[in-house]
Amino acid sequence: MWLINSSIGRKVVMSLTGIALILFLTFHMSMNIVALFSGEGYNMICEFLGANWYAVVATMGLAALALLHIVYAFWLTMQNRAARGTERYEVTAKPEKVEWASQNMLVLGIIVLLGLVLHFWNFWYNMMFAELVGFETQFHPADGFAYIKETFSNPVFVVLYIVWLVALWFHLSHGFWSAMHTLGWNGKTWFERWKTIGLVYSTVLMLGFLVVVLAFAFGCAPSLCCGSCC
C-alpha cells in the first residue's frame, strides 16, 4: 500500500493525522477557555464527556491518530537520516530559508510527547480513566475545574506546561503549512499564504492554552475572582 511503502504516502499520513490533531487541539482550547469564566460550565462539559461511550470511542480514535502521527514521524526521520548517511556528520553551513523548527522537529516532537504524558497524568488519568476503573481520586472525576486549579497552583507544572506550549507552537507553526504542502495545496500564490495562516492559527491556539495556564497560576481567572486581582 502506497501510504506505507512510499515516502510520499507516509508524509500524507503524517499530514492528515496532524490536521486531525490540530482540530482536536482547537476543540480542547475552546473547552479550556470556558474554565476561565465558569467553573460550573466547564464541569458540565467534563461531565457530558466523562467516561461515556462516545467520549471513550473518541479518545481511542484520538489515541490511534496520535500514535500513527508519532510512529510515522520517527519513521520518516530515520528514513531521512539513513538517506543522508555519513553526510549528516559533515560540518556544513545552515541552509538559507530553512526554519529552525524544520531542523529540530524530532526534538520538538519528543518535548511534545513528554508534555502529553504529563498532561495525561494530571488530567486524563484522574478523570476519564479514574471513572472507568472506579478508583478514588483527590477530586470527583468530573470536577475538571478543581484539577485545573490544583495543577496550575504548582509553579513547577506551570513552567513545564509553558515549555510544552512553546514546543507545540514551533511544531504546529511548521507542521501546518508543511501538511498543506504535502497535500498539494502549495501553488505559488498559496504557499506563503499557508505559512502565514499556519503561523497565525498556531499562535492564537497556543495563546488560548497559555492564557488559561497563567490565569489560574496567578489566580486571576474571572471564574476565580474574589475581587483581589480582577
Side-chain angles (χ1 to χ4, degrees), residues 11-40:
K11 289 180 180 179
V12 168
V13 172
M14 274 277 293
S15 300
L16 292 176
T17 54
I19 291 171
L21 292 172
I22 288 174
L23 291 176
F24 167 74
L25 285 174
T26 303
F27 163 76
H28 197 348
M29 184 272 287
S30 302
M31 175 180 167
N32 285 5
I33 291 296
V34 175
L36 286 176
F37 302 98
S38 171
E40 183 180 349

Side-chain angles (χ1 to χ4, degrees), residues 12-105:
V12 168
V13 172
M14 274 277 293
S15 300
L16 292 176
T17 54
I19 291 171
L21 292 172
I22 288 174
L23 291 176
F24 167 74
L25 285 174
T26 303
F27 163 76
H28 197 348
M29 184 272 287
S30 302
M31 175 180 167
N32 285 5
I33 291 296
V34 175
L36 286 176
F37 302 98
S38 171
E40 183 180 349
Y42 182 76
N43 283 346
M44 285 178 62
I45 299 174
C46 293
E47 187 172 0
F48 173 75
L49 296 174
N52 296 304
W53 69 267
Y54 46 83
V56 174
V57 170
T59 300
M60 292 173 63
L62 181 65
L65 287 173
L67 184 61
L68 268 176
H69 192 77
I70 293 167
V71 169
Y72 272 69
F74 277 98
W75 192 354
L76 284 168
T77 299
M78 295 304 106
Q79 175 188 322
N80 292 337
R81 284 174 176 265
R84 289 198 300 269
T86 57
E87 290 182 6
R88 67 178 183 273
Y89 298 109
E90 296 177 2
V91 178
T92 57
K94 182 179 178 180
E96 294 184 5
K97 298 184 179 180
V98 174
E99 297 177 345
W100 180 87
S102 177
Q103 295 290 303
N104 296 276
M105 285 298 277

Side-chain angles (χ1 to χ4, degrees), residues 201-220:
Y201 195 91
S202 301
T203 301
V204 172
L205 190 58
M206 291 302 103
L207 281 177
F209 284 111
L210 183 61
V211 165
V212 174
V213 172
L214 295 179
F216 278 87
F218 291 101
C220 290

